[in-house]
Amino acid sequence: QVQLVESGGGLVQAGGSLRLSCAASGRTFSSYAMGWFRQAPGKERKFVAAILWSGGRTYYTDSVKGRFTTSRDNAKNTVYLQMNILKPEDTAVYYCAATPKYEIVIVTTEYNYWGQGTQVTVSS
């Protein structure tokens, strides 16, 4: 069982930065691949980024490549999403999720555990 709690969201101007954190409970956190998703009002939840359990491989959706970076610290049971050069279209609720799969996963249905989400609002 893994419980996830996101933090770090807020209001930022376009071009600014935010760092989201996702703190996990559970002794087996290091064996889970982690993902970040976002959901804008009235839209479906979409994949943003993922990182393998070792942190050695990451994957990003095209719209955030070069701007967002995900990383993890297994000793702290925490995964991060550093978001730079934010745009108004990045506005959404951001969720972290965990899957026991030993591969990059980009679909919501493959993730077993989800956080409650944190709001990110980017003003123009």
Side-chain angles (χ1 to χ4, degrees):
Q1 190 80 359
V2 176
Q3 292 183 325
L4 305 172
V5 179
E6 300 99 335
S7 61
L11 173 63
V12 64
Q13 288 187 330
S17 298
L18 284 173
R19 188 176 81 156
L20 306 184
S21 298
C22 174
S25 64
R27 294 177 295 175
T28 59
F29 169 76
S30 61
S31 65
Y32 285 81
M34 301 296 293
W36 289 95
F37 291 78
R38 64 187 179 186
Q39 188 167 18
K43 296 188 176 181
E44 64 181 8
R45 194 170 297 186
K46 294 185 177 180
F47 171 80
V48 175
I51 185 168
L52 288 183
W53 66 274
S54 66
R57 185 182 171 203
T58 56
Y59 185 78
Y60 302 90
T61 192
D62 285 346
S63 62
V64 308
K65 285 180 181 177
R67 301 189 298 123
F68 290 13
T69 303
T70 188
S71 60
R72 66 191 294 164
D73 185 338
N74 288 337
K76 296 182 178 180
N77 280 9
T78 303
V79 63
Y80 305 97
L81 184 67
Q82 177 66 44
M83 306 185 295
N84 299 327
I85 318 176
L86 282 161
K87 304 175 181 180
E89 51 263 44
D90 294 319
T91 295
V93 177
Y94 283 71
Y95 299 88
C96 66
T99 174
K101 293 184 179 293
Y102 290 93
E103 58 187 352
I104 294 291
V105 178
I106 66 172
V107 294
T108 59
T109 53
E110 295 293 329
Y111 283 86
N112 300 67
Y113 304 103
W114 291 84
Q116 84 289 350
T118 186
Q119 176 70 47
V120 171
T121 303
V122 184
S123 63
S124 57

